[in-house]
Amino acid sequence: MAGKYVVKAGASGQFMFNLHAGNHQVILTSESYKEKTGALNGIKSCQENSQKDERFERKVAKDNSPYFVLKASNGQTIGKSEMYSGASAMENGIASVKANGATTTIDEK
């Protein structure tokens, strides 16, 4: 089963997207965008940048939970992961974003 992007409007009227793995698990959550076209452009950026390891910034939260941020070539944040239980789980998350990020399947809610 292939991954997909899901675009939706939030309660504030802004738009965002989630990248889902083939098992329907959310593996990346975008920033908020004022317009739907911004979210769609964010997906295009994710499709391109998710294929480049140097675009993944590995981080550690205050509670020592590892997570990652996907950034565009201009340094702007495209999306963030969930908090992981360990570094190897985070690396598996990055591998999943790389494997599913190039998908062209977009579900607009």
Side-chain angles (χ1 to χ4, degrees):
M1 204 176 220
K4 68 178 180 178
Y5 290 96
V6 177
V7 178
K8 56 186 174 182
S12 65
Q14 294 193 335
F15 293 86
M16 52 85 62
F17 67 85
N18 286 317
L19 173 59
H20 291 251
N23 64 2
H24 306 291
Q25 182 178 355
V26 174
I27 53 177
L28 188 78
T29 300
S30 77
E31 301 297 297
S32 294
Y33 299 91
K34 291 180 182 178
E35 297 179 7
K36 189 178 197 176
T37 55
L40 295 173
N41 287 335
I43 289 172
K44 288 179 188 175
S45 182
C46 189
Q47 289 166 329
E48 178 184 327
N49 289 289
S50 65
Q51 305 308 299
K52 301 174 182 175
D53 190 66
E54 66 272 15
R55 299 287 192 249
F56 290 89
E57 187 175 313
R58 291 143 172 96
K59 296 185 162 211
V60 178
K62 290 179 183 179
D63 69 355
N64 289 323
S65 298
Y67 70 102
F68 62 86
V69 176
L70 178 62
K71 294 197 170 190
S73 59
N74 63 3
Q76 186 174 357
T77 297
I78 299 168
K80 296 178 182 177
S81 72
E82 65 180 348
M83 298 297 167
Y84 291 96
S85 59
S88 64
M90 178 189 65
E91 291 300 329
N92 288 340
I94 290 171
S96 185
V97 171
K98 288 178 181 178
N100 292 283
T103 184
T104 57
T105 303
I106 301 172
D107 183 359
E108 297 182 39
K109 299 268 179 190

